[in-house]
Amino acid sequence: MSALMEAVRAGRTAEVVGLLDGLTDAERRAFLPELKDLRKELRTAPWGHPSRHAYPTLHAAGAACETGAAAAVSWIAGSDMRWSQSSAALLIHILGDRDASWLADVTHRLAGRPASAGVSYELMAGLVRLSGCPVPTTETYVQAWVSHIGQLWQLGDTLFERLRRDPHLAELMAALFETNDVAGPMEWSSAENVDGWVDAIARLTVEGALDRKRTVDACVARLLRGGSTLDQRAFLRVLKGLALTREEEREHIADWLALASDAVPTVASHAQAVLGSLALDGELTPRRLAEMSDAVLFRSEKKLVRAQLVLLGKVLARDASAAADVLPALAFAFGHPDTEVQERALKLVERHVKKVDSSEVRAELAAAADQLVPVLRARAVETLGAAPVTSTSTVYEEVLPPPPEPVRLAPAPESAVELAEEVGALLATEGDVPTFERVLDGLVRHAYRDHKTLVEALEPVVARRWWHSDDPEYARRADDHFSRTHRAFGSAEYGLDLLLATLQDKVRTVTLHEGMQDGHRSRTCGHSALSRAFDARVWEVAYRLRAEPLPFLLSTPSWSTGLLEPDELVDRLDTYRRLGARVSSADFAQALLRVRRGDRAAATAAERASSLGMTEGVRLARWLMSESPTLPLSRRRASGPRVLLEFGELLDVQEDFPAEFRTLGQPVTVYGNNWYCYHWNRDMQRHWLAILPERRELIAARIVRDVSAVALDGTRGAAAVLPLLAESDGAAGEATHLCLAYGLGARHPEDRLAAVDGLLVLAARGQLDGDRLGTELGQLVRSGAVKPSRLAESMRTGAATGANTSIWGILRHTLSALLADLDGDIKPAQARGLGDLLAVAAECAERCGARGELPHLAQTADRTGSSRLVTQARRLRSALVAGVAS
């Protein structure tokens, strides 16, 4: 080994630099093969291994020995050395003796790398100074420049002074307005608007360091181009900081119109304010104002729509001649989902329609009135001459999405190579239940057929797994990890890792046997019964891979929901009998819990199973002929505003089952378990549903606390399981509807949307109990667990799909409970947002033609005033008494 390589391996950077100094290009290239071999060696070294200390020195040595610009850049920006690079100053010193054109080429190639490559700004800027080349204006360079120059607070000067001294200010500032994802650093340095980018850019334009017209045009163009909300907000602040003159605002009228139409709400609001100011000063023509209104009134943001209506009212009051152009645009608001917006628009039209002489305009307004809700449409019949609603109007029909159909599982991959590809994809994405089950069954089948071929095919997949190493000490740590730290799996990925490590002989047989025999050693929690059943099956599969390979798994489901067809299970048992294979207890237990029972096919399969001459066949026949699964006794328990459920014992899930599966039938308690647990990975919930595909209530009772957190604690993501819960089989009882109720009141929109999906799936399958769900929601709102405003958003989303009858069936029970609490002038805390709920209920009642009396509605509707609560209560009462479905 040469002296240079010894120094590199030892991490003696100064010595390496001295050895390289004065060498010719040919002499430096001669060291590249050894350096590349060392790099390849370090890539497979475990994290924390002493050999990895050579990385910074290797990084510098490779940069010095690569004589081609492209090769040098590839070495410097290599992903494997990203976290162990040598310093920018050292690299500049090493590369300082190269030709200026070569340095310029390297500089621009580095700047052309993606920002994720983590190329140092100090290195790129130093090479620019060294080579004298034009400054790069790539996204990577500009982002790095913004971040770097905003963090030099330790110099004692201001951002404005640092920018003014920058020799490349004009080029970089022009590029700044064309670069994405720069708002973060700009916001950090603009806290409280002191010494920030907004103030600095404004002062630079006043000083003349930046051309004002170019800066204004670039900022407006940046807002027009769109991008992330963070970027848009940052550049809007810059635009406001420039304090445009009225002349500059007039020059960009077309741009303001485009921004008011399509920009994010904060930018659109600013554009709307500018255009409104111009319109009130007579500097925006009525036709342009109508064009603006067409776009803004079509937007979903209520604040923008209402501001536009106020603006139109002011313009019409000042200029009667604008009515012919403005009123047809105002009619766009007749179709807005917010009935208050519809009413405001109708009032404006009624107030100013007399100023219009054109019969065409009047006819257009009358036709547009068809979009109004029935109560307002009845007014439009009198004031605008709209066509009255007749008895021949279309009868309302509930529109629900088709219920999702379960998908048949494809057979396991035929070849070991195909299986390895699916394993790699599953590890990268966490996958779904069908993918995991196919891979699990595939590993068992191929290990039984040809263990050696399977191991060879999996080698590229497992090469970068944390437990894969040829170092004996590290292998011992991997075995210790599985035997002690992770006896219970927190995710399906960990379970798959155990199987792969077993196939690669990285786990001892005694560890596998103990894992199969001893079960969980961790503290119990509300999910333990589900996780124990899942883990027991995986541990047993891993042990059988080593000790007595199975020909295939009995418990692989037939359908994506986890359900197993009884005739398929009998066929598999028959194959086991012919092969003389010993049935795995956990695998068979899971198969029993998944097999479909209670129909003619199950009875036929039971006869075949009993004739197999196997103990498992007799047991399967008895299981298939037993009574259909029943729900255990339940009891509600409250913990503050949180309502939870406790379930009684289920004997049929305990008899003749392995110990780790019996806990599924044990009582579900609220206070007896430690609810602080390690089940952070919510992807496991889909696997839990597949354990008991015909008993979703048992799953729902164990995850209701998790789902309640999306409403009570503002957590994110726990409601994602609700559509899958709705797709499962078995009775949809109290626990399922309670989970759904919490999801509908979730803080985050994606959780509310998932809950609405679950609601629609249940409705489409005929399993939604609207009375129960409405009552649950009323109690949760009264206790403060669910906010009415969030619930209103969920209900509005559900109604928008066409499920007006279902939503009304829920809300009539919710509102009965909430309206009962409104006594006199005293409004409880949950009254905030109750007007929104009433608005959704009124629209649903109008559209589906609901009739009847809603308890306690009259006392709210008879109140004085015009608050949203009272207005919508009156609207709902009118719809229930004499409304007409539109």
Side-chain angles (χ1 to χ4, degrees):
M1 183 184 299
S2 65
L4 177 68
M5 291 307 301
E6 288 184 1
V8 170
R9 285 184 174 275
R12 299 193 293 269
T13 305
E15 183 179 340
V16 168
V17 173
L19 291 171
L20 290 171
D21 192 25
L23 295 182
T24 64
D25 286 352
E27 290 172 332
R28 293 185 180 188
R29 282 195 298 267
F31 288 109
L32 281 174
E34 292 181 277
L35 292 172
K36 290 179 179 179
D37 288 343
L38 176 58
R39 183 179 181 182
K40 184 177 180 181
E41 176 187 328
L42 294 182
R43 282 175 182 162
T44 59
W47 190 264
H49 197 275
S51 63
R52 296 178 66 91
H53 292 301
Y55 257 130
T57 308
L58 175 64
H59 186 249
C65 293
E66 290 282 11
T67 55
V73 169
S74 179
W75 186 281
I76 291 171
S79 60
D80 55 328
M81 293 187 281
R82 184 176 306 163
W83 305 109
S84 303
Q85 296 182 358
S86 54
S87 67
L90 178 60
L91 290 175
I92 292 171
H93 171 74
I94 289 175
L95 301 176
D97 59 349
R98 303 295 181 91
D99 181 72
S101 60
W102 186 91
L103 290 172
D105 191 7
V106 168
T107 302
H108 284 272
R109 286 177 183 271
L110 285 173
R113 289 271 171 158
S116 59
V119 180
S120 164
Y121 170 77
E122 290 87 348
L123 174 61
M124 293 187 289
L127 292 175
V128 168
R129 292 191 299 270
L130 199 61
S131 64
C133 66
V135 65
T137 54
T138 63
E139 188 171 275
T140 294
Y141 192 92
V142 175
Q143 288 177 356
W145 172 70
V146 172
S147 179
H148 175 78
I149 202 167
Q151 294 177 357
L152 295 178
W153 53 267
Q154 63 270 28
L155 296 180
D157 55 4
T158 64
L159 176 63
F160 165 71
E161 292 168 341
R162 294 194 293 275
L163 287 172
R164 183 169 56 177
R165 291 196 304 266
D166 195 309
H168 306 293
L169 175 64
E171 300 96 316
L172 292 173
M173 191 60 70
L176 174 69
F177 291 103
E178 299 177 358
T179 303
N180 294 321
D181 301 324
V182 293
M186 289 176 68
E187 290 288 306
W188 297 335
S189 62
S190 299
E192 300 179 0
N193 204 27
V194 177
D195 186 28
W197 283 87
V198 173
D199 178 66
I201 293 175
R203 291 176 63 185
L204 289 169
T205 56
V206 171
E207 208 177 64
L210 294 175
D211 182 86
R212 180 176 177 83
K213 187 176 188 318
R214 288 183 180 177
T215 304
V216 171
D217 291 347
C219 195
V220 173
R222 181 66 180 80
L223 295 175
L224 285 168
R225 192 161 62 88
S228 68
T229 302
L230 190 61
D231 273 357
Q232 293 289 86
R233 188 172 65 225
F235 284 107
L236 177 61
R237 291 183 63 230
V238 172
L239 183 66
K240 290 180 177 179
L242 292 172
L244 271 60
T245 64
R246 181 47 59 93
E247 179 62 30
E248 289 172 329
E249 290 177 344
R250 283 196 298 268
E251 289 178 1
H252 292 280
I253 284 180
D255 298 327
W256 304 132
L257 289 170
L259 291 173
S261 172
D262 298 322
V264 297
T266 51
V267 177
S269 178
H270 176 74
Q272 183 185 45
V274 173
L275 290 170
S277 177
L278 291 171
L280 293 176
D281 289 346
E283 299 185 71
L284 189 70
T285 65
R287 190 171 297 277
R288 280 292 182 92
L289 180 60
E291 179 185 345
M292 170 194 176
S293 300
D294 287 348
V296 175
L297 294 177
F298 192 72
R299 295 185 65 124
S300 60
E301 297 89 357
K302 296 179 184 178
K303 184 177 180 180
L304 291 174
V305 173
R306 291 172 180 172
Q308 189 68 18
L309 293 177
V310 172
L311 171 62
L312 293 177
K314 291 180 179 179
V315 171
L316 289 170
R318 294 188 181 191
D319 183 7
S321 64
D325 290 315
V326 172
L327 288 184
L330 187 60
F332 270 97
F334 287 178
H336 198 276
D338 187 348
T339 56
E340 285 191 6
V341 171
Q342 291 186 18
E343 185 172 12
R344 290 187 184 188
L346 180 60
K347 284 181 178 179
L348 282 175
V349 171
E350 290 172 337
R351 187 180 306 156
H352 299 286
V353 70
K354 297 178 181 178
K355 301 176 182 178
V356 178
D357 297 329
S358 171
S359 58
E360 290 82 1
V361 173
R362 287 176 174 269
E364 184 178 348
L365 293 172
D370 289 343
Q371 304 173 76
L372 294 167
V373 295
V375 174
L376 298 179
R377 187 177 176 186
R379 272 176 47 186
V381 170
E382 299 179 2
T383 59
L384 301 180
V389 179
T390 65
S391 58
T392 59
S393 298
T394 303
V395 177
Y396 172 79
E397 183 178 351
E398 180 87 337
V399 178
L400 292 170
E405 296 291 337
V407 179
R408 268 274 185 183
L409 254 70
E414 283 296 327
S415 72
V417 174
E418 289 179 90
L419 175 62
E421 291 175 354
E422 291 211 17
V423 170
L426 182 61
L427 289 171
T429 62
E430 280 284 337
D432 51 13
V433 171
T435 304
F436 177 80
E437 292 293 341
R438 289 182 68 248
V439 165
L440 189 62
D441 188 45
L443 291 173
V444 171
R445 288 175 182 270
H446 285 280
Y448 181 80
R449 295 176 192 168
D450 191 341
H451 184 279
K452 181 179 179 182
T453 300
L454 175 61
V455 171
E456 291 176 353
L458 289 172
E459 186 62 36
V461 178
V462 303
R464 298 302 297 271
R465 300 306 293 173
W466 59 268
W467 46 263
H468 189 272
S469 173
D470 294 329
D471 187 334
E473 174 63 22
Y474 202 78
R476 188 192 62 78
R477 294 180 187 175
D479 179 82
D480 185 66
H481 176 86
F482 283 116
S483 65
R484 296 184 182 180
T485 310
H486 282 75
R487 178 61 56 82
F489 305 121
S491 69
E493 181 185 358
Y494 278 137
L496 188 56
D497 267 322
L498 172 66
L499 300 176
L500 296 175
T502 300
L503 290 169
Q504 298 289 327
D505 290 330
K506 302 298 181 184
V507 185
R508 296 178 303 153
T509 303
V510 66
T511 297
L512 298 174
H513 186 265
E514 289 175 355
M516 183 183 68
Q517 294 292 328
D518 295 348
H520 280 221
R521 294 178 181 174
S522 59
R523 294 178 296 176
T524 59
C525 68
H527 315 99
S528 292
L530 300 168
S531 62
R532 284 180 177 180
F534 178 88
D535 297 347
R537 179 172 174 238
V538 174
W539 274 109
E540 189 177 69
V541 169
Y543 177 74
R544 294 294 295 267
L545 285 175
R546 175 70 54 78
E548 188 182 356
L550 298 165
F552 51 81
L553 292 178
L554 297 172
S555 57
T556 302
S558 306
W559 301 96
S560 56
T561 58
L563 203 62
L564 174 59
E565 290 296 330
D567 57 334
E568 290 185 33
L569 180 54
V570 175
D571 290 341
R572 293 172 188 175
L573 277 176
D574 190 28
T575 303
Y576 263 62
R577 179 186 60 80
R578 287 188 286 103
L579 294 174
R582 184 171 63 88
V583 173
S584 172
S585 61
D587 183 37
F588 185 60
Q590 178 62 88
L592 290 179
L593 293 175
R594 282 178 170 170
V595 71
R596 182 164 52 84
R597 327 188 248 170
D599 58 9
R600 183 173 298 176
T604 304
E607 294 179 6
R608 291 179 55 210
S610 61
S611 65
L612 290 177
M614 301 173 62
T615 303
E616 290 80 11
V618 174
R619 186 179 169 200
L620 173 59
R622 188 170 64 249
W623 180 261
L624 290 174
M625 296 305 295
S626 63
E627 294 183 5
S628 299
T630 57
L631 293 179
L633 297 176
S634 64
R635 179 174 62 172
R636 298 171 70 90
R637 300 292 293 267
S639 176
R642 183 179 269 110
V643 176
L644 301 174
L645 289 178
E646 292 186 333
F647 271 6
E649 190 175 34
L650 282 175
L651 295 178
D652 65 325
V653 185
Q654 299 184 58
E655 297 174 352
D656 299 327
F657 276 85
E660 297 300 325
F661 284 80
R662 291 176 199 157
T663 54
L664 291 170
Q666 292 177 358
V668 177
T669 62
V670 173
Y671 303 112
N673 288 325
N674 175 17
W675 284 95
Y676 181 79
C677 66
Y678 58 89
H679 299 102
W680 306 301
N681 189 334
R682 295 194 178 99
D683 288 331
M684 285 301 297
Q685 292 175 342
R686 65 185 72 175
H687 294 280
W688 293 341
L689 284 168
I691 292 174
L692 295 163
E694 287 193 311
R695 297 191 176 189
R696 62 176 152 202
E697 277 290 283
L698 296 183
I699 310 298
R702 288 177 166 87
I703 65 173
V704 66
R705 181 183 285 268
D706 300 333
V707 179
S708 70
V710 302
L712 282 157
D713 305 326
T715 60
R716 189 191 301 268
V721 72
L722 294 179
L724 297 176
L725 186 67
E727 292 176 25
S728 293
D729 291 318
E734 188 176 12
T736 298
H737 284 79
L738 185 56
C739 286
L740 203 60
Y742 281 123
L744 292 171
R747 175 183 179 183
H748 298 287
E750 60 269 30
D751 284 311
R752 294 198 296 269
L753 186 59
V756 172
D757 286 344
L759 184 154
L760 295 176
V761 169
L762 282 180
R765 299 181 69 187
Q767 298 172 340
L768 179 66
D769 188 339
D771 296 358
R772 167 175 274 168
L773 181 57
T775 303
E776 290 283 12
L777 287 168
Q779 294 178 4
L780 293 177
V781 172
R782 294 175 71 182
S783 69
V786 168
K787 296 184 184 300
S789 56
R790 297 175 184 172
L791 177 59
E793 287 296 323
S794 297
M795 295 291 99
R796 186 177 293 110
T797 301
T801 66
N804 292 282
T805 299
S806 298
I807 299 301
W808 165 245
I810 297 168
L811 287 180
R812 65 190 181 93
H813 293 280
T814 304
L815 290 171
S816 296
L818 299 181
L819 291 173
D821 291 337
L822 298 179
D823 184 14
D825 294 328
I826 301 175
K827 294 197 300 182
Q830 63 264 24
R832 174 177 292 183
L834 185 53
D836 293 331
L837 270 180
L838 284 166
V840 177
E843 182 169 353
C844 290
E846 291 164 352
R847 294 194 181 280
C848 69
R851 298 292 185 274
E853 186 174 330
L854 186 67
H856 310 291
L857 177 62
Q859 67 185 35
T860 303
D862 289 338
R863 288 185 175 193
T864 59
S866 58
S867 66
R868 181 168 177 78
L869 176 68
V870 175
T871 301
Q872 295 304 324
R874 292 168 183 166
R875 175 190 169 193
L876 177 57
R877 181 173 63 178
S878 299
L880 294 176
V881 173
V884 180
S886 61

